[in-house]
Amino acid sequence: MKKKKLATVSLAGCFGCHMSLLDIDERILDLVELVEFDRSPINDIKKFTTRCDIGLIEGACCNEANVHTLIDFRKNCDILVGVGQCAIMGGLPVMRNAIMHSDDPLRECLDEAYLNSKYVYNPSNEIPNDPALPLLLDKVYTCPQVVKIDYQIPGCPPSGDMLWRALTALITGTHFQTSYEYELIKYD
Amino acid sequence: MNKSVVFKIDGVEVTATPGQTIMEAADEAGIYIPRLCDVEGLDPQGSCRLCTVKVNGRSVSSCTQPVVDGSEVENNTLEIQCYRRDLVRMLFHEGNHLCPICEASGNCELQAMGYRLGISKATKFPYLQPVRPVDASHPDILLDTNRCIHCGRCIRASASVDGKHVFGYIGRGIHRRVGVNAENLAKTDALLEDKAIASETCPVGCIIQKRNGFCTPVGKREFDHEPIGSSIENS
Ligand code: SF4
Ligand code: SF4
Ligand code: SF4
Ligand code: FES
């Protein structure tokens, strides 16, 4: 069987989902028999070198760069999979949207993070605004709000077993997400 | 005269006593019908519609509908499971459900229903991300309405079991939420011992007992190993 091409990325995520991918342990040797990693933090390839069969997205979109990256993934991948709660429904990053009960959640979030919190040491009293920093979005957007996502693997993070099962199903073309064992799907 | 009612659920013959609801009869027969607003010990409210079944082709909520002799009930069909999936999805979308940081995670009936119905596909609904209040005023109890699914179980428990009427609905439609009968929870006569506050009353992580969170390790929580409804199916 020709090796499938796999790309992965972390947008606004904690890399926990990528860590979980490493949690498939020695099966990673089987995985590299089945797939070739293209753009991914696993091999540090930063741009697509070819069209990919599968793209795994960790994290939500909290800044402009995340949106561009996600659109790039949609363009270059046949199947796009949202991995983890951040990608699917915003997860922890999305807390800045509504949970703060503010009319201007982004402003309040930045003020809290850089100015007001009693644990902050920031002598310049400025919120970072270097032009090199990607522009923050007004709110955090889930991946399906930005591009079409074909499949989702819930969990924070999904377990290594879950990722292994989902990946092998996608690679071998068996129907994805029919009847997993009960304990594999978790939302936390 | 002890007449019993005989009817069928998905082709399986069930014998019930007259006046029983379809759900009660199904429970006794070891057939689980998914539910969220209904819980043992409280009068049914019939509002979540998760327990919808078809009786002779017509949709009814099984927690409120009495059994009818000779009827054919459809429960576990693809069509009905799809409706239920959509209902559960909409509940996730209507509130702010962040399971990774929720104290109810693992013991939550909404989440467990998501697992049972196999909800893991990309969603077709928008996340509404409403701004909803959190009331942490009470020394022992926290009310986080971000997770409220408006099952009314706390309202019924407080009214009919505790006789206190602490909880009630405020507002209408999409803005409806659960509120308390005072300025805040601390100013009510709610107590930790109340039925309305008991962990089995609120199906989600909306009514939280303080200093009690995350005390059960992952793997030992209520729905970690067996789907919701298993206790009925295995009885
Ligand atoms: S889903 Fe959880 S583990 Fe994955 S990126 Fe988000 S916070 Fe990290
Ligand atoms: S209440 Fe249930 S579904 Fe909502 S966040 Fe908590 S665990 Fe998840
Ligand atoms: S607070 Fe809990 S018990 Fe009360 S209506 Fe909301 S979800 Fe139901
Ligand atoms: S359980 Fe019957 S309508 Fe909610």
Side-chain angles (χ1 to χ4, degrees), chain A residues 85 88-89 91-92 94-95 97-99 101 139-140 142 149-150 152 154 156 177 182-183 185-188, chain B residues 92 97-101 105 111 114-115 119-123 127 129-132 221 223-227:
Chain A
Q85 292 299 39
I88 296 170
M89 42 69 80
L92 304 198
V94 88
M95 286 180 75
N97 289 9
I99 311 296
H101 307 292
K139 57 179 195 167
V140 173
T142 68
I149 297 289
D150 301 298
Q152 306 186 143
C156 182
Q177 62 201 168
Y182 175 75
E183 295 186 35
I185 292 183
K186 289 283 177 283
Y187 297 166
D188 58 356
Chain B
F92 271 98
H97 291 279
L98 302 169
C99 299
I101 54 147
S105 206
Q111 186 189 57
Y115 296 160
I119 296 178
S120 62
K121 285 213 178 92
T123 167
Y127 284 102
Q129 295 172 345
V131 175
R132 291 202 192 149
R221 304 168 307 176
F223 303 116
D224 276 341
H225 302 294
E226 281 201 312

Side-chain angles (χ1 to χ4, degrees), chain A residues 108-125:
Chain A
E108 202 170 303
C109 178
L110 291 172
D111 285 355
E112 180 73 14
Y114 292 102
L115 308 178
N116 298 337
S117 164
K118 61 179 171 181
Y119 305 106
V120 166
Y121 174 71
N122 180 8
S124 76
N125 209 38

Side-chain angles (χ1 to χ4, degrees), chain B residues 23 34-38 44-52 61-64:
Chain B
M23 186 184 280
R35 68 204 67 177
L36 282 173
C37 71
D38 195 58
Q45 171 172 294
S47 68
C48 73
R49 309 321 264 191
L50 208 69
C51 69
T52 296
S61 63
S62 61
C63 67
T64 53

